[in-house]
Amino acid sequence: MPPIENDTGRAELKTRIQQLIDSNPVLVFSKSYCPFCVKVKDLFKELNVICNAVELDLMADGSNLQDMLMEMTGQKTVPNVFINKTHIGGCDKTLQAHRDGLLQQLLGGENETYDYDLIVIGGGSGGLACSKEAALLGKKVMVLDYVVPTPLGTTWGLGGTCVNVGCIPKKLMHQTAVLGTAMQDARKFGWEFSEAVKHNWETMKTAVNNYIGSLNWGYRVALRDKNVNYVNAYAEFIEPHKIKATNRRGKEVFHTAARFVLATGERPRYLGIPGDKEYCITSDDLFSLPHCPGKTLVIGASYVALECGGFLAGLGLDVTVMVRSILLRGFDQDMANRAGEHMEEHGVKFLRKFVPVKVEELEKGTPGRLKVTAKSTDSDEIFEGEFNTVLIAVGRDACTGKIGLDKAGVHVNAKNGKIPVNDEEQTNVPHIYAIGDILEGKWELTPVAIQAGKLLARRLYKGGTLKCDYVNVPTTVFTPLEYGCCGLSEEKALELYGQDNIEIYHSLFWPLEFTVPNRDNNKCYSKIICNKLDSERVVGFHYLGPNAGEVTQGYGAAMKCGITKEQLDNTVGIHPTCAEIFTTMEVTKSSGGDISQAGC
Ligand code: FAD
Ligand code: NAP
């Protein structure tokens, strides 16, 4: 159709467009083949919002409408988006408005003002990082953190799991055990000390808890300095934009916000057997236990179980680990078993293929005496044993069941309580985000929660585009012989690439510092898994030895940069270290060659 030249025709066209704008809550002037238009229409579909699209390329006078739109809005390109009569703009502007929450406000016809730009529920690793970053970017932010006491009444301060009942006390107690081993080694290096060496639990516990107290204080100060309003209260949604905050005295206060970030973390799971909540402890109680736990049964065989069992044994305690199936599910099983063997060789007992049935109290005390009954998972055998302490470490449940997510309309995976999010940590409710341990299918690690929280705030309030990268996340299990890894396990690599397409290089090694005390000869182990189809790029990194976290961190960075076997070979090692082993690995697993280390 030719361009409209006369004024009447142009006025009619303008009225027609205005009527379309006025009568459609969401209107997109679009072209059916345009990928940007598709993106915008998909966004509204995702948001469950009816969007009326006027496909200009399918209309006889489409180009006339486009010209008139240019006159009316200053924008000729499509998509050209209007929400509740407000002109938004094109694809980028619409997506940005979505990120900023403006879209949601316009969609709701909201001109409402909220108490806060952002309310973060949970003051742990993720929540603190996100709230501080948002406040730094000039937003009005509240963070609520509340610790529900354990069945035994243990509670703690601000900072979440990592600081109070996770990484920090765990690593410090692991370090206590490492020092014990170092003291034994010290005599071989010529240190003479005659008095019997013994460990005092209370001294360690007090020192560790004092340090934690200083961190709790530091977090409060940091929040105050950054103008984040910290409230020590339990939060639950009562409406999509409104929460109820209940403090420890039961006082209820209501707050509203344009956006929310859920960062409520997880708490230890109980077994649901007689005596578990009455007599057993979890990692939430262990690190502040007022007395030495004594002879301990650890139930479970993952991170928490092996780390805690490991350091308790390192303090000289009698430790048994009850394993239902395998060690460290999800990790490379070759490595997991080597870490377990080392524990076994150093006195930790493993009761394999058993699950507990009941726990009874034989005697009260600090510690008391407990009787544990367990049954075999593959026979009729029953185990009965006496312990001073039973530590349950059978996994953790996401704290999502009691925070009113139904009132906000947030979807939760009913099976595990985890929250599904898109790659921008956004839940199905556009103004509600989730980070950290409660996310479905993501790593449960402090640095991951922090990274996700920080980047989310930058995307929401600074136009940032970086998303949290959940691939090739390095991690370390602080078992007595530490295990660090990054990328794929051998099992996963085989499944993804097939036996023929991967090459595994491996080596045993004997750290120099172990040689003089003559311990753990050729027990440390290194392994890399390479993708033959991609220049032998390293897709799996595994290290079992001292200082695994320190070693793995650097190689994790190298893997992010896509390091290949050849590049590792061309890297000059630092001698004498454990980490250098990765620069000299020659024996492939498929060759069956000798991997023991003979000299330096
Ligand atoms: P959290 O840190 O758990 O914080 C959530 C906070 O929200 C808590 O304070 C909770 O009380 C609060 N909260 C919950 N519900 C509400 C509510 N409704 N209202 C107000 N507040 C609420 N990771 C590592 O990277 N390295 C390690 O070495 C390591 N060791 C660990 C050792 C142990 C024993 C455990 C248990 C975990 C360990 N982790 C480790 C994991 C790490 O602690 C978690 O991944 C991390 O703390 C998750 O952070 P988050 O912000 O998701 O939750
Ligand atoms: P987890 O990884 O979920 O492991 C649970 C363990 O308990 C498994 O060994 C499981 O055995 C066992 N189990 C479950 N139910 C049982 C039952 N009824 N009876 C006996 N055993 C049972 O849990 P987690 O160790 O608590 O760790 C939680 C998360 O915290 C981890 O995913 C990790 O990311 C994080 N974390 C990190 C670190 C670190 O970075 N160093 C340290 C600690 C924790 P099956 O294998 O048979 O199922």
Side-chain angles (χ1 to χ4, degrees):
M1 189 172 273
I4 302 170
E5 303 291 355
N6 64 61
D7 285 350
T8 321
R10 287 163 49 78
E12 276 171 12
L13 191 60
K14 194 169 180 179
T15 309
R16 215 173 107 205
I17 291 177
Q18 195 57 53
Q19 277 170 350
L20 278 169
I21 294 169
D22 291 346
S23 56
N24 288 291
V26 178
L27 182 68
V28 180
F29 291 97
S30 161
K31 286 188 181 168
S32 58
Y33 55 80
C34 159
F36 300 103
C37 301
V38 170
K39 218 171 178 176
V40 161
K41 286 180 276 186
D42 281 350
L43 171 68
F44 289 117
K45 220 181 281 166
E46 247 175 63
L47 298 176
N48 268 335
V49 170
I50 298 167
C51 142
N52 284 303
V54 178
E55 304 293 357
L56 298 177
D57 60 316
L58 305 180
M59 299 167 70
D61 60 350
S63 58
N64 288 342
L65 265 87
Q66 199 168 356
D67 290 343
M68 182 52 73
L69 278 166
M70 171 68 192
E71 204 178 300
M72 290 168 73
T73 64
Q75 179 190 329
K76 177 140 193 203
T77 54
V78 287
N80 201 340
V81 180
F82 293 82
I83 296 177
N84 284 325
K85 300 176 205 171
T86 304
H87 180 234
I88 303 294
C91 178
D92 284 351
K93 288 211 170 130
T94 308
L95 297 180
Q96 185 61 44
H98 177 233
R99 281 195 291 271
D100 291 345
L102 176 68
L103 206 63
Q104 293 85 321
Q105 279 184 32
L106 287 170
L107 284 169
E110 297 168 21
N111 287 319
E112 210 171 311
T113 52
Y114 298 108
D115 302 339
Y116 292 91
D117 294 311
L118 177 69
I119 289 183
V120 178
I121 307 180
S125 309
L128 288 181
C130 186
S131 55
K132 284 189 282 190
E133 192 69 16
L136 264 179
L137 295 170
K139 295 296 155 185
K140 190 176 175 199
V141 184
M142 165 182 268
V143 61
L144 299 105
D145 190 62
Y146 186 86
V147 179
V148 177
T150 71
L152 298 184
T154 312
T155 185
W156 51 87
L158 177 63
T161 302
C162 170
V163 179
N164 297 285
V165 286
C167 331
I168 300 297
K170 180 277 305 287
K171 180 86 189 285
L172 288 172
M173 294 194 181
H174 168 71
Q175 173 64 9
T176 311
V178 168
L179 284 174
T181 309
M183 264 188 303
Q184 288 164 20
D185 289 355
R187 290 186 199 271
K188 302 272 178 48
F189 282 98
W191 289 103
E192 293 174 3
F193 42 99
S194 48
E195 67 276 21
V197 176
K198 44 179 199 162
H199 181 257
N200 185 315
W201 174 273
E202 213 186 315
T203 307
M204 172 188 72
K205 188 225 50 165
T206 305
V208 168
N209 283 273
N210 284 346
Y211 177 62
I212 292 172
S214 74
L215 293 178
N216 297 145
W217 175 248
Y219 288 129
R220 289 182 85 121
V221 172
L223 290 178
R224 196 188 56 207
D225 288 352
K226 294 192 167 64
N227 285 326
V228 176
N229 185 13
Y230 160 59
V231 175
N232 181 207
Y234 189 86
E236 61 192 289
F237 280 97
I238 53 163
E239 286 171 22
H241 282 276
K242 190 173 191 176
I243 55 157
K244 178 173 80 179
T246 311
N247 75 8
R248 64 183 71 243
R249 274 171 257 107
K251 189 174 169 221
E252 294 175 355
V253 183
F254 299 87
H255 306 280
T256 60
R259 288 201 181 98
F260 292 83
V261 171
L262 310 174
T264 49
E266 296 183 311
R267 294 296 291 271
R269 184 176 306 145
Y270 281 82
L271 289 157
I273 59 166
D276 65 346
K277 286 196 174 154
E278 294 93 324
Y279 309 124
C280 302
I281 62 167
T282 68
S283 53
D284 279 0
D285 304 294
L286 177 67
F287 303 112
S288 57
L289 202 64
H291 53 266
C292 177
K295 182 180 175 186
T296 302
L297 174 70
V298 179
I299 302 171
S302 198
Y303 260 115
V304 175
L306 297 191
E307 292 185 334
C308 294
F311 78 68
L312 290 175
L315 304 184
L317 303 182
D318 180 332
V319 174
T320 303
V321 179
M322 187 183 286
V323 183
R324 176 168 73 175
S325 57
I326 55 170
L327 303 186
L328 293 177
R329 180 176 298 284
F331 285 90
D332 187 294
Q333 281 301 294
D334 171 23
M335 303 303 293
N337 290 330
R338 286 173 191 270
E341 267 164 38
H342 175 269
M343 287 175 75
E344 218 156 0
E345 281 164 13
H346 288 265
V348 177
K349 285 166 257 178
F350 282 88
L351 186 59
R352 288 175 193 268
K353 302 258 161 92
F354 271 91
V355 287
V357 178
K358 63 177 171 184
V359 180
E360 296 159 284
E361 187 173 62
L362 298 176
E363 192 184 319
K364 282 198 189 311
T366 52
R369 267 192 322 123
L370 300 170
K371 179 180 163 190
V372 177
T373 308
K375 63 170 195 243
S376 164
T377 57
D378 58 6
S379 75
D380 294 336
E381 206 183 329
I382 297 288
F383 163 87
E384 287 182 342
E386 274 184 39
F387 300 90
N388 297 116
T389 298
V390 176
L391 172 71
I392 300 175
V394 294
R396 297 168 59 78
D397 291 324
C399 301
T400 53
K402 295 179 183 159
I403 55 171
L405 293 182
D406 51 332
K407 311 246 171 54
V410 175
H411 292 163
V412 179
N413 179 338
K415 276 198 199 131
N416 56 16
K418 298 268 187 167
I419 299 186
V421 290
N422 63 17
D423 64 352
E424 304 212 39
E425 285 87 24
Q426 189 176 38
T427 70
N428 63 302
V429 178
H431 70 278
I432 303 181
Y433 298 79
I435 52 174
D437 283 6
I438 54 172
L439 294 190
E440 177 157 80
K442 302 285 195 286
W443 289 91
E444 293 169 20
L445 295 168
T446 278
V448 175
I450 292 174
Q451 179 86 338
K454 220 191 265 181
L455 293 181
L456 172 60
R458 286 181 195 163
R459 286 197 306 275
L460 292 178
Y461 302 119
K462 203 188 172 189
T465 51
L466 262 190
K467 297 175 194 174
C468 184
D469 186 355
Y470 294 94
V471 179
N472 282 344
V473 169
T475 181
T476 288
V477 186
F478 294 94
T479 32
L481 197 54
E482 299 168 8
Y483 165 39
C485 61
C486 183
L488 303 178
S489 64
E490 194 173 327
E491 293 85 350
K492 197 77 200 162
L494 275 170
E495 184 191 316
L496 283 179
Y497 299 111
Q499 179 86 60
D500 293 343
N501 298 322
I502 59 170
E503 193 70 89
I504 296 172
Y505 296 85
H506 65 162
S507 179
L508 287 164
F509 63 99
W510 198 17
L512 184 63
E513 49 273 42
F514 289 9
T515 55
V516 170
N518 196 22
R519 68 174 163 95
D520 298 319
N521 189 350
N522 274 304
K523 291 291 171 191
C524 296
Y525 180 68
S526 53
K527 172 164 89 175
I528 55 165
I529 303 162
C530 304
N531 179 4
K532 285 207 268 189
L533 301 174
D534 184 18
S535 319
E536 286 209 316
R537 201 167 303 286
V538 182
V539 293
F541 171 95
H542 302 271
Y543 168 93
L544 183 71
N547 307 309
E550 316 299 336
V551 172
T552 308
Q553 184 69 81
Y555 285 111
M559 281 180 70
K560 270 257 168 288
C561 303
I563 196 163
T564 61
K565 174 70 169 80
E566 190 185 8
Q567 288 166 330
L568 268 181
D569 293 341
N570 287 339
T571 303
V572 176
I574 302 173
H575 189 66
T577 63
C578 293
E580 67 177 319
I581 189 78
F582 289 99
T583 64
T584 57
M585 284 203 293
E586 280 165 6
V587 184
T588 60
K589 200 167 180 183
S590 54
S591 73
D594 182 16
I595 54 165
S596 47
Q597 184 190 337
C600 108

